[in-house]
Amino acid sequence: MTQTPDGLPAAARSRVERQAASGVRSSLFSAPAAAAARSAGLLPVGEVFGGMVVNLGWTGTGCAWWTPTGPTAALGTWQSRTAWRSPVTTSGGSTYAGYAPYVKGFESAWYGAVRRMLAEARALGAHGVVGVTVQRSRLDGSAWEFTALGTAVRSDDPLLVPYPKNRGDVWSTNLTVEDTASAILSGYAPGELLLGISISTKHEDYELRTQRSSWVNGEVTGMTELVQAARAEALHRLETRATATAGAQLVVTDLRLGEFETPCGEEKDLHAEATVVGATLIPVPRYSRRAELSAVTTVIPLSDLRARA
């Protein structure tokens, strides 16, 4: 794919140039959102987009494993089947274990789309991007498209949102414009948009198969372990990325879970895919507008001080 020196695809560079030449500052803001942005010193400079199509064909290697446990483990093959206990494995271990290659490919495409969106915002001279939505859609077979869309903004009040320390840095958040404005006015600057993803796997052992096919209402313990493991690791991966910025506060904005099965010989494996998205907020040491105004404004009491005394 042809890219310009600033890392933008050629089509994105053309779109930026047309927008700059027209003088039109497009946005995805509603009227209330535009008012909220203005209250926090944010001015829209354009709608920005980033996209990437990837092939996620290689998911990993092998089936999940199981191990005989309990008093029947030493018995014959047929009897020991009732003692099979397959552990839950996740994608965060070995580079090639389970669905680790799929997870790494997913993360690369997700962040790749976000980076291209930020490159477009940088070309417009923006300080940040608000209201970001990142989506994926299957195109054909194992080909997936990842897209990131948001509104690029500039800050005209460094007391509320400090200008980026390094030229070219652009912050991003998927918080709504109203929530972003509330955070800014409360002393928090937007940081970055983050993803955590995990796929857990468990072989359908005897216990799990029995619980899934039972007519008795009760917990399917293997499935509980499966989904909890996926969610826990996805959150851990998200938190690990968030702690890279000292003092950042993490706001979890989306948590999704899906389940699917794959054949493993004559049996099958069960999988849970968890994705969690969050946005960081960074405390800004500053004095507020209220404090600034109180330094130059005389407050006139509306009642007699002697009467109140």
Side-chain angles (χ1 to χ4, degrees):
M1 181 185 65
T2 303
Q3 289 189 345
T4 57
D6 54 11
L8 279 175
R13 166 51 62 185
S14 298
R15 184 168 60 251
V16 169
E17 292 174 349
R18 289 195 304 270
Q19 183 166 316
S22 69
V24 176
R25 299 294 179 261
S26 63
S27 77
L28 301 171
F29 293 170
S30 63
R38 193 66 193 94
S39 72
L42 299 179
L43 303 174
V45 297
E47 176 186 329
V48 287
F49 172 83
M52 179 179 289
V53 177
V54 297
N55 182 60
L56 296 177
W58 185 42
T59 57
T61 58
C63 298
W65 56 283
W66 58 269
T67 179
T69 59
T72 61
L75 299 178
T77 303
W78 179 85
Q79 291 171 305
S80 66
R81 289 174 66 89
T82 62
W84 287 5
R85 188 71 171 87
S86 172
V88 173
T89 59
T90 58
S91 54
S94 170
T95 305
Y96 304 108
Y99 274 72
Y102 170 86
V103 167
K104 295 182 186 301
F106 189 111
E107 288 180 333
S108 177
W110 195 93
Y111 282 107
V114 171
R115 283 194 299 269
R116 288 182 178 176
M117 177 195 69
L118 296 179
E120 193 167 308
R122 190 179 302 114
L124 291 172
H127 292 147
V129 185
V130 299
V132 178
T133 57
V134 184
Q135 297 180 333
R136 63 165 175 159
S137 56
R138 186 189 294 273
L139 299 182
D140 182 29
S142 57
W144 292 81
E145 181 187 29
F146 287 75
T147 60
L149 177 67
T151 299
V153 294
R154 285 185 62 84
S155 172
D156 67 350
D157 190 343
L159 294 178
L160 293 175
V161 184
Y163 301 148
K165 293 181 180 180
N166 300 316
R167 183 179 177 85
D169 285 351
V170 180
W171 51 261
S172 60
T173 181
N174 64 343
L175 296 177
T176 65
V177 182
E178 292 85 348
D179 287 345
T180 302
S182 296
I184 291 172
L185 295 174
S186 298
Y188 291 90
E192 58 182 332
L193 192 59
L194 299 173
L195 166 76
I197 177 175
S198 173
I199 294 183
S200 59
T201 300
K202 180 178 176 62
H203 190 74
E204 190 184 43
D205 54 28
Y206 180 84
E207 178 187 64
L208 180 55
R209 184 163 56 248
T210 301
Q211 290 178 340
R212 294 181 78 195
S213 60
S214 173
W215 286 93
V216 178
N217 295 336
E219 181 182 10
V220 182
T221 55
M223 292 293 291
T224 299
E225 295 171 2
L226 187 72
V227 299
Q228 287 181 341
R231 284 199 179 103
E233 186 177 75
L235 285 167
H236 174 71
R237 293 173 73 88
L238 179 74
E239 292 166 357
T240 299
R241 287 182 177 271
T243 54
T245 303
Q249 303 292 317
L250 176 63
V251 180
V252 175
T253 56
D254 188 54
L255 177 61
R256 302 190 182 190
L257 181 76
E259 185 271 336
F260 61 99
E261 302 176 357
T262 57
C264 183
E266 297 180 356
E267 299 176 334
K268 56 187 172 183
D269 289 341
L270 305 181
H271 312 276
E273 177 180 329
T275 57
V276 56
V277 178
T280 57
L281 296 174
I282 303 172
V284 179
R286 60 172 175 77
Y287 56 96
S288 66
R289 280 181 168 177
R290 180 176 299 176
E292 185 181 23
L293 289 174
S294 65
V296 297
T297 304
T298 300
V299 179
I300 302 176
L302 299 180
S303 61
D304 191 337
L305 292 178
R306 290 172 298 178
R308 287 191 292 173

